[in-house]
Amino acid sequence: GCLGSGEVYTCDIKGHCHSLAKPHKGSVFVMDSVDTIDGVRLITGSRDRTICVSGYEGVQLVPLQYLTFSHSIRSFCLVPQTTGTELVVGTVVGDIFWTQGFDEKEAKLDVLQRIPIVYGHFDGQVLGLDVATGSRAWSSRRFVTSSGDNQLILWDVQERTAIRRSAISESKVEPVRVKGNRLGEISTHVPEFSSSAVALSPDGITIAVGTDNGFIHLYKSSNLSCMNTVDLGKSRQVYGMKKTIKITVLRYSPDSRLLAAGLSDGCIILCDASKNYEMKVALTSHKLPVRNIDWSLKGRHLRSTGVDTRLCYFDVNKNNVSRSKPNIYPRLFRNSKWKTNTCIYSYYTNGAHDITQWQNNSKNKSSGGSEAVKSGAEVMSADIAPKAGLVAIGDSEGYIRLYRSPCIEVSDSRTIQGHSSQVCQVRFMAQERMLVSIGGEDRTVIQWKVTSVPHGSSRVLPAIVDETDARSAARIARVKSFAMDTSADTRV
């Protein structure tokens, strides 16, 4: 048995407990034993971020070796087909490590020298997603995500794995965790360490991350090193606006010169990237938080949707950005071409919003009758693949629906489910052969593959399948060769 004090006890059949040792300073979460050539070894993992290997001396337990990790140990398991001294270790922040053995060299490894073989998001909602759209060689392979866990992660769809990550806030102070939900969110981190928006510039050089306290952090895409930080709240005070804000969406213009930031108060701010991201203008048309922003192909217009269910258009004056203004004549944009198509309210997604989807009631079906019931699924995210002629919709019930484009009325769709909560973002990438989706509360990133796009048919829809994580499994297998099940989905 294990107590919160870090002690290890043994109990007999009469219920009498005897203390063996106190190998840890915090609660012991996991424990296992293994037979070695030197005798039986007891392995324990604790909240104090250590794994202890102990041996028996008579009836007493003596700690022999400690392995230190960056966060509290949540679980571990002995690697099969080995001598029993190798472990796969999982921490409370979702990192998975592989220890090569309990020798002196392994014990002396510093915390920073331990590199996880798998990692992902672990706190809050995963709300930030953007894909590379530039002309660089890797632009069709990379995408970035951000969450309420103080992490920015860069992914590769070809390798099907996370390739790099960085802390959103470089503050030396330990992140303060708050009890319960914060403003309706599920993150236990304070706004300084939480992000709901991320954008990758089309030139492939910069990644912008918007925090929940109104800061924009700028990173090099090559190594995720922080180049600059912009305080939008301070800039807004110059215009007599409220300082405390949350950045809900970020989007770069096609030429990477301007950055549009949608805020929780319904305001859209245009920043000039060529002038150290100086705030140029504040566009106010929404009354509630902005959800999506799209730029036109030439960067002269913006469109946005918000929680207030409004679709707004703006004219951007590229010669004098401060003179940009809302456009109240939406019919002028009927034939406009857009660099991205993430706005959930548009001509191409009109039919997807008819939530009156009828289905047979299983309760009445058994009695020979049927009853029409109404689905309350709300459209949470959208993206369009213009060349493939497809519309992808993510809803509030975890489903992804695939329509033929344009979806101007209720029509048949391919419906799949991979998330257990709302699908916050869906984006086509890799020349429209891949679809990436992120769940909100399930903190899951899923990579889908469009298997086929029939030509000349408006009724037959292609299938999208959850790709097998074979390459990631092979990567782990190269660390230590042994048989692994590679049928797992590409989820983190």
Coordinates of all heavy atoms in Angstrom, one line a residue, residues 278-340:
E278 N 2.8 47.1 -34.9 CA 2.2 48.3 -34.4 C 0.7 48.2 -34.7 O 0.3 47.9 -35.8 CB 2.8 49.6 -34.9 CG 2.1 50.8 -34.5 CD 2.7 52.0 -35.2 OE1 3.7 51.9 -35.9 OE2 2.1 53.1 -35.1
M279 N -0.2 48.6 -33.7 CA -1.6 48.6 -33.9 C -2.0 49.7 -34.8 O -1.7 50.9 -34.5 CB -2.3 48.7 -32.6 CG -3.8 48.8 -32.7 SD -4.6 48.9 -31.0 CE -6.3 49.4 -31.5
K280 N -2.7 49.4 -35.9 CA -3.1 50.5 -36.9 C -4.5 50.9 -36.8 O -4.8 52.1 -37.0 CB -2.8 49.9 -38.3 CG -1.3 49.8 -38.6 CD -0.6 51.2 -38.6 CE 0.8 51.2 -39.0 NZ 1.5 52.5 -39.0
V281 N -5.4 49.9 -36.6 CA -6.8 50.3 -36.6 C -7.6 49.2 -35.8 O -7.2 48.1 -35.8 CB -7.4 50.5 -38.0 CG1 -7.4 49.1 -38.7 CG2 -8.8 51.1 -38.0
A282 N -8.7 49.7 -35.2 CA -9.6 48.8 -34.5 C -10.9 48.8 -35.2 O -11.6 49.8 -35.4 CB -9.8 49.2 -33.1
L283 N -11.3 47.6 -35.8 CA -12.6 47.5 -36.5 C -13.7 46.9 -35.6 O -13.5 45.8 -35.0 CB -12.4 46.6 -37.7 CG -11.3 47.0 -38.7 CD1 -11.0 46.0 -39.8 CD2 -11.6 48.4 -39.3
T284 N -14.8 47.6 -35.4 CA -15.8 47.2 -34.5 C -17.1 47.0 -35.3 O -17.8 48.0 -35.7 CB -16.0 48.2 -33.4 OG1 -16.3 49.5 -34.0 CG2 -14.8 48.3 -32.5
S285 N -17.5 45.7 -35.4 CA -18.8 45.4 -36.0 C -19.5 44.3 -35.2 O -20.8 44.3 -35.2 CB -18.6 44.9 -37.5 OG -18.3 46.0 -38.3
H286 N -18.8 43.5 -34.5 CA -19.3 42.4 -33.7 C -19.6 42.9 -32.3 O -18.9 43.8 -31.8 CB -18.4 41.2 -33.7 CG -18.2 40.5 -35.0 ND1 -19.1 39.7 -35.6 CD2 -17.2 40.6 -35.9 CE1 -18.7 39.3 -36.7 NE2 -17.5 39.8 -36.9
K287 N -20.6 42.3 -31.7 CA -21.0 42.7 -30.3 C -20.5 41.6 -29.4 O -20.5 41.8 -28.2 CB -22.5 42.8 -30.2 CG -23.1 43.8 -31.2 CD -22.6 45.2 -30.9 CE -23.3 46.2 -31.8 NZ -22.7 47.6 -31.6
L288 N -20.1 40.4 -29.9 CA -19.7 39.3 -29.1 C -18.3 38.8 -29.6 O -17.9 39.3 -30.7 CB -20.7 38.2 -29.0 CG -22.1 38.5 -28.3 CD1 -23.0 37.4 -28.5 CD2 -21.8 38.8 -26.9
P289 N -17.7 37.9 -29.0 CA -16.3 37.4 -29.4 C -16.3 37.0 -30.9 O -17.2 36.4 -31.4 CB -16.0 36.2 -28.5 CG -16.8 36.5 -27.2 CD -18.0 37.2 -27.7
V290 N -15.2 37.4 -31.5 CA -14.9 37.0 -32.9 C -14.5 35.5 -33.0 O -13.6 35.1 -32.2 CB -13.9 37.9 -33.6 CG1 -13.7 37.6 -35.0 CG2 -14.3 39.4 -33.4
R291 N -15.0 34.7 -33.9 CA -14.7 33.3 -34.0 C -13.8 33.0 -35.2 O -12.8 32.2 -35.1 CB -15.9 32.5 -34.1 CG -16.9 32.6 -32.9 CD -18.1 31.8 -33.1 NE -17.9 30.4 -33.1 CZ -18.8 29.4 -33.1 NH1 -20.1 29.8 -33.0 NH2 -18.5 28.2 -33.2
N292 N -14.0 33.6 -36.3 CA -13.3 33.3 -37.5 C -12.9 34.6 -38.3 O -13.7 35.5 -38.3 CB -14.0 32.3 -38.4 CG -14.6 31.2 -37.7 OD1 -15.8 31.2 -37.4 ND2 -13.8 30.2 -37.4
I293 N -11.8 34.6 -39.0 CA -11.4 35.7 -39.9 C -10.8 35.1 -41.1 O -10.0 34.1 -41.1 CB -10.3 36.6 -39.2 CG1 -10.9 37.3 -38.0 CG2 -9.7 37.6 -40.2 CD1 -9.9 38.2 -37.2
D294 N -11.2 35.6 -42.3 CA -10.6 35.2 -43.6 C -10.1 36.5 -44.3 O -10.8 37.5 -44.3 CB -11.6 34.5 -44.4 CG -12.0 33.1 -43.9 OD1 -11.1 32.5 -43.3 OD2 -13.1 32.7 -44.0
W295 N -9.0 36.4 -45.0 CA -8.5 37.4 -45.9 C -8.9 37.1 -47.4 O -8.9 35.9 -47.7 CB -7.0 37.6 -45.8 CG -6.5 38.2 -44.6 CD1 -6.2 37.6 -43.4 CD2 -6.2 39.6 -44.4 NE1 -5.8 38.6 -42.5 CE2 -5.8 39.8 -43.0 CE3 -6.3 40.8 -45.2 CZ2 -5.4 41.0 -42.5 CZ3 -5.9 42.0 -44.7 CH2 -5.5 42.1 -43.4
S296 N -9.1 38.1 -48.2 CA -9.2 37.9 -49.6 C -7.9 37.6 -50.2 O -6.8 37.8 -49.6 CB -9.9 39.2 -50.3 OG -9.0 40.3 -50.1
L297 N -7.9 37.1 -51.4 CA -6.6 36.6 -52.1 C -5.6 37.8 -52.2 O -4.4 37.6 -52.0 CB -6.9 36.0 -53.4 CG -7.4 34.6 -53.5 CD1 -7.7 34.2 -54.9 CD2 -6.4 33.7 -52.8
K298 N -6.1 39.0 -52.5 CA -5.2 40.1 -52.7 C -5.0 40.9 -51.4 O -4.3 41.9 -51.4 CB -5.7 41.0 -53.8 CG -5.7 40.3 -55.1 CD -6.2 41.3 -56.2 CE -6.1 40.6 -57.6 NZ -6.6 41.6 -58.7
G299 N -5.6 40.5 -50.3 CA -5.5 41.2 -49.0 C -6.1 42.5 -48.9 O -5.8 43.3 -48.0
R300 N -7.1 42.8 -49.7 CA -7.8 44.1 -49.7 C -9.1 44.0 -48.9 O -9.7 45.1 -48.7 CB -8.1 44.6 -51.1 CG -6.9 44.8 -51.9 CD -7.2 45.2 -53.3 NE -6.0 45.5 -54.1 CZ -6.0 45.8 -55.4 NH1 -7.1 45.9 -56.1 NH2 -4.8 46.0 -56.0
H301 N -9.6 42.8 -48.5 CA -10.8 42.7 -47.8 C -10.7 41.7 -46.7 O -9.8 40.8 -46.7 CB -12.0 42.3 -48.7 CG -12.1 43.2 -49.9 ND1 -12.7 44.5 -49.8 CD2 -11.8 43.1 -51.2 CE1 -12.7 45.1 -50.9 NE2 -12.2 44.2 -51.8
L302 N -11.5 41.8 -45.7 CA -11.6 40.9 -44.6 C -13.1 40.5 -44.4 O -14.0 41.2 -44.7 CB -11.2 41.5 -43.3 CG -9.7 41.5 -42.8 CD1 -9.6 42.2 -41.5 CD2 -9.2 40.1 -42.7
R303 N -13.3 39.3 -43.9 CA -14.6 38.8 -43.5 C -14.4 38.1 -42.2 O -13.4 37.5 -41.9 CB -15.3 38.0 -44.5 CG -14.7 36.6 -44.7 CD -15.5 35.8 -45.7 NE -14.9 34.5 -45.9 CZ -15.4 33.5 -46.7 NH1 -16.5 33.8 -47.5 NH2 -14.8 32.4 -46.9
S304 N -15.5 38.2 -41.4 CA -15.4 37.6 -40.0 C -16.7 37.1 -39.6 O -17.8 37.6 -40.0 CB -14.8 38.6 -39.0 OG -15.7 39.7 -38.9
T305 N -16.7 36.1 -38.7 CA -17.9 35.7 -38.0 C -17.7 35.7 -36.5 O -16.5 35.5 -36.1 CB -18.4 34.3 -38.5 OG1 -17.3 33.3 -38.3 CG2 -18.7 34.3 -40.0
G306 N -18.8 35.8 -35.8 CA -18.6 35.9 -34.3 C -19.7 35.0 -33.6 O -20.5 34.4 -34.3
V307 N -19.6 35.0 -32.3 CA -20.6 34.3 -31.5 C -21.9 34.9 -31.7 O -23.0 34.3 -31.5 CB -20.1 34.4 -30.0 CG1 -21.1 33.7 -29.1 CG2 -18.8 33.7 -29.9
D308 N -22.0 36.2 -32.1 CA -23.3 36.9 -32.4 C -23.9 36.4 -33.7 O -24.9 37.0 -34.1 CB -23.1 38.4 -32.3 CG -22.0 38.9 -33.3 OD1 -21.5 38.0 -34.1 OD2 -21.7 40.0 -33.3
T309 N -23.3 35.4 -34.4 CA -23.9 34.8 -35.6 C -23.9 35.9 -36.8 O -24.7 35.7 -37.7 CB -25.3 34.2 -35.4 OG1 -26.2 35.3 -35.2 CG2 -25.3 33.2 -34.3
R310 N -23.1 36.9 -36.7 CA -23.0 37.9 -37.8 C -21.8 37.6 -38.7 O -20.8 37.2 -38.3 CB -22.9 39.3 -37.2 CG -24.0 39.7 -36.3 CD -23.8 41.1 -35.8 NE -23.9 42.1 -36.9 CZ -23.6 43.4 -36.7 NH1 -23.3 43.9 -35.5 NH2 -23.7 44.2 -37.7
L311 N -22.1 37.8 -40.0 CA -21.0 37.7 -41.0 C -20.7 39.2 -41.4 O -21.5 39.8 -42.0 CB -21.4 36.9 -42.2 CG -20.5 36.9 -43.4 CD1 -19.1 36.3 -43.0 CD2 -21.1 36.1 -44.5
C312 N -19.5 39.7 -41.1 CA -19.1 41.0 -41.4 C -18.0 41.1 -42.4 O -17.1 40.2 -42.5 CB -18.7 41.7 -40.1 SG -20.0 41.8 -38.8
Y313 N -18.0 42.2 -43.2 CA -17.0 42.4 -44.2 C -16.3 43.8 -43.9 O -16.9 44.7 -43.4 CB -17.6 42.5 -45.6 CG -18.2 41.1 -46.1 CD1 -19.5 40.8 -45.8 CD2 -17.4 40.2 -46.8 CE1 -20.0 39.5 -46.2 CE2 -17.9 39.0 -47.2 CZ -19.2 38.7 -46.9 OH -19.7 37.4 -47.3
F314 N -15.0 43.8 -44.3 CA -14.2 45.1 -44.1 C -13.4 45.3 -45.3 O -12.9 44.4 -46.0 CB -13.3 44.9 -42.9 CG -14.1 44.5 -41.6 CD1 -14.2 43.2 -41.3 CD2 -14.6 45.5 -40.8 CE1 -14.9 42.8 -40.1 CE2 -15.3 45.1 -39.6 CZ -15.4 43.8 -39.3
D315 N -13.2 46.6 -45.6 CA -12.3 47.1 -46.7 C -11.0 47.4 -46.0 O -11.0 48.2 -45.0 CB -12.8 48.3 -47.4 CG -14.1 47.9 -48.2 OD1 -14.2 46.8 -48.7 OD2 -15.0 48.8 -48.3
V316 N -9.9 46.9 -46.5 CA -8.5 47.1 -45.9 C -7.8 48.0 -46.9 O -7.6 47.7 -48.1 CB -7.8 45.8 -45.7 CG1 -6.4 46.1 -45.1 CG2 -8.5 44.9 -44.8
N317 N -7.4 49.2 -46.4 CA -6.6 50.2 -47.2 C -5.2 49.8 -47.0 O -4.6 50.1 -46.0 CB -6.9 51.6 -46.8 CG -6.4 52.6 -47.7 OD1 -5.3 52.5 -48.3 ND2 -7.1 53.7 -47.9
K318 N -4.6 49.2 -48.0 CA -3.2 48.7 -47.9 C -2.2 49.9 -47.8 O -1.1 49.8 -47.3 CB -2.8 47.8 -49.0 CG -3.7 46.5 -49.0 CD -3.3 45.5 -50.0 CE -2.0 44.8 -49.6 NZ -1.7 43.7 -50.6
N319 N -2.5 51.0 -48.5 CA -1.6 52.2 -48.5 C -1.7 52.9 -47.1 O -0.7 53.5 -46.7 CB -2.0 53.1 -49.6 CG -1.8 52.5 -51.0 OD1 -0.9 51.7 -51.2 ND2 -2.7 52.8 -51.9
N320 N -2.9 52.9 -46.5 CA -3.0 53.6 -45.2 C -4.0 52.7 -44.4 O -5.2 52.9 -44.4 CB -3.6 55.0 -45.4 CG -3.6 55.8 -44.1 OD1 -3.3 55.2 -43.0 ND2 -4.0 57.0 -44.2
V321 N -3.4 51.8 -43.7 CA -4.2 50.7 -43.0 C -5.1 51.4 -42.0 O -6.2 50.9 -41.7 CB -3.2 49.7 -42.3 CG1 -4.1 48.7 -41.6 CG2 -2.3 49.1 -43.3
S322 N -4.7 52.5 -41.4 CA -5.6 53.2 -40.4 C -6.9 53.6 -40.9 O -7.8 53.9 -40.2 CB -4.8 54.3 -39.8 OG -4.5 55.3 -40.7
R323 N -7.0 53.7 -42.3 CA -8.3 54.1 -42.9 C -9.2 53.0 -43.3 O -10.2 53.1 -44.0 CB -8.0 55.0 -44.1 CG -7.2 56.3 -43.8 CD -7.0 57.2 -45.0 NE -8.2 57.7 -45.5 CZ -8.4 58.5 -46.5 NH1 -7.3 58.9 -47.2 NH2 -9.5 58.9 -46.9
S324 N -8.8 51.8 -42.9 CA -9.7 50.6 -43.2 C -11.0 50.7 -42.4 O -11.0 51.3 -41.3 CB -8.9 49.3 -42.7 OG -7.7 49.2 -43.4
K325 N -12.0 50.2 -43.0 CA -13.4 50.4 -42.4 C -14.3 49.2 -42.7 O -14.1 48.5 -43.7 CB -14.0 51.7 -42.9 CG -14.1 51.8 -44.4 CD -14.6 53.1 -44.8 CE -14.8 53.1 -46.4 NZ -15.3 54.5 -46.8
P326 N -15.4 49.1 -42.0 CA -16.4 48.1 -42.3 C -17.1 48.4 -43.7 O -17.2 49.5 -44.1 CB -17.4 48.1 -41.2 CG -16.7 48.8 -40.1 CD -15.7 49.8 -40.7
N327 N -17.5 47.3 -44.3 CA -18.3 47.4 -45.6 C -19.7 46.8 -45.3 O -19.8 45.6 -45.0 CB -17.6 46.7 -46.7 CG -18.2 47.0 -48.1 OD1 -19.4 47.0 -48.2 ND2 -17.4 47.3 -49.0
I328 N -20.7 47.6 -45.5 CA -22.1 47.2 -45.1 C -22.9 46.6 -46.3 O -24.1 46.5 -46.3 CB -22.9 48.3 -44.5 CG1 -23.0 49.5 -45.4 CG2 -22.2 48.7 -43.1 CD1 -23.9 50.6 -44.9
Y329 N -22.1 46.4 -47.4 CA -22.8 45.9 -48.6 C -22.3 44.5 -49.0 O -21.3 44.3 -49.8 CB -22.6 46.8 -49.8 CG -23.1 48.2 -49.6 CD1 -22.3 49.3 -49.2 CD2 -24.5 48.5 -49.6 CE1 -22.8 50.5 -48.9 CE2 -25.0 49.8 -49.4 CZ -24.1 50.8 -49.0 OH -24.6 52.0 -48.8
P330 N -22.7 43.4 -48.3 CA -22.2 42.1 -48.5 C -22.4 41.6 -49.9 O -21.6 40.7 -50.4 CB -23.0 41.2 -47.5 CG -24.2 42.0 -47.3 CD -23.9 43.5 -47.4
R331 N -23.3 42.1 -50.7 CA -23.5 41.6 -52.0 C -22.3 41.9 -52.9 O -22.1 41.2 -54.0 CB -24.8 42.2 -52.7 CG -24.8 43.6 -52.9 CD -26.1 44.1 -53.5 NE -26.0 45.6 -53.7 CZ -26.4 46.5 -52.8 NH1 -26.9 46.0 -51.6 NH2 -26.4 47.8 -53.1
L332 N -21.5 42.8 -52.6 CA -20.3 43.2 -53.4 C -19.3 42.1 -53.3 O -18.4 42.0 -54.1 CB -19.7 44.5 -52.9 CG -20.6 45.7 -52.9 CD1 -19.9 46.9 -52.3 CD2 -21.0 46.0 -54.4
F333 N -19.4 41.2 -52.3 CA -18.4 40.1 -52.1 C -18.9 38.8 -52.6 O -18.3 37.7 -52.2 CB -18.0 40.1 -50.6 CG -17.4 41.4 -50.1 CD1 -18.3 42.3 -49.5 CD2 -16.1 41.7 -50.2 CE1 -17.8 43.5 -49.0 CE2 -15.6 42.9 -49.8 CZ -16.5 43.8 -49.1
R334 N -19.9 38.7 -53.4 CA -20.5 37.5 -53.7 C -19.6 36.6 -54.5 O -19.5 35.4 -54.4 CB -21.8 37.7 -54.6 CG -22.6 36.5 -55.0 CD -23.9 36.8 -55.7 NE -24.7 37.6 -54.8 CZ -25.9 38.1 -55.2 NH1 -26.3 38.0 -56.5 NH2 -26.6 38.8 -54.4
N335 N -18.8 37.2 -55.4 CA -17.8 36.5 -56.2 C -16.4 36.6 -55.8 O -15.5 36.3 -56.6 CB -18.0 36.9 -57.7 CG -19.4 36.6 -58.2 OD1 -20.0 35.6 -58.0 ND2 -19.9 37.6 -59.0
S336 N -16.2 37.1 -54.6 CA -14.8 37.3 -54.1 C -14.1 36.0 -53.8 O -14.7 35.0 -53.5 CB -14.8 38.1 -52.8 OG -15.3 39.4 -53.1
K337 N -12.8 36.0 -54.1 CA -12.0 34.8 -53.8 C -11.2 35.0 -52.5 O -10.7 36.1 -52.2 CB -10.9 34.6 -54.9 CG -11.6 34.4 -56.3 CD -12.4 33.1 -56.4 CE -12.9 32.9 -57.8 NZ -13.8 31.7 -57.9
W338 N -11.2 34.0 -51.6 CA -10.6 34.1 -50.3 C -9.4 33.2 -50.1 O -9.4 32.1 -50.6 CB -11.7 33.9 -49.2 CG -12.9 34.8 -49.3 CD1 -14.0 34.5 -50.0 CD2 -13.0 36.1 -48.8 NE1 -14.9 35.6 -49.9 CE2 -14.3 36.6 -49.2 CE3 -12.2 36.9 -48.0 CZ2 -14.7 37.9 -48.8 CZ3 -12.6 38.1 -47.6 CH2 -13.9 38.6 -48.0
K339 N -8.4 33.7 -49.4 CA -7.2 33.0 -49.1 C -7.5 31.8 -48.2 O -7.0 30.7 -48.5 CB -6.2 33.9 -48.5 CG -4.9 33.2 -48.2 CD -4.1 32.7 -49.4 CE -2.8 32.2 -49.1 NZ -2.1 31.7 -50.3
T340 N -8.3 32.0 -47.2 CA -8.8 30.9 -46.4 C -10.3 30.9 -46.3 O -11.0 31.9 -46.7 CB -8.3 31.0 -44.9 OG1 -8.6 32.3 -44.4 CG2 -6.7 30.9 -44.9

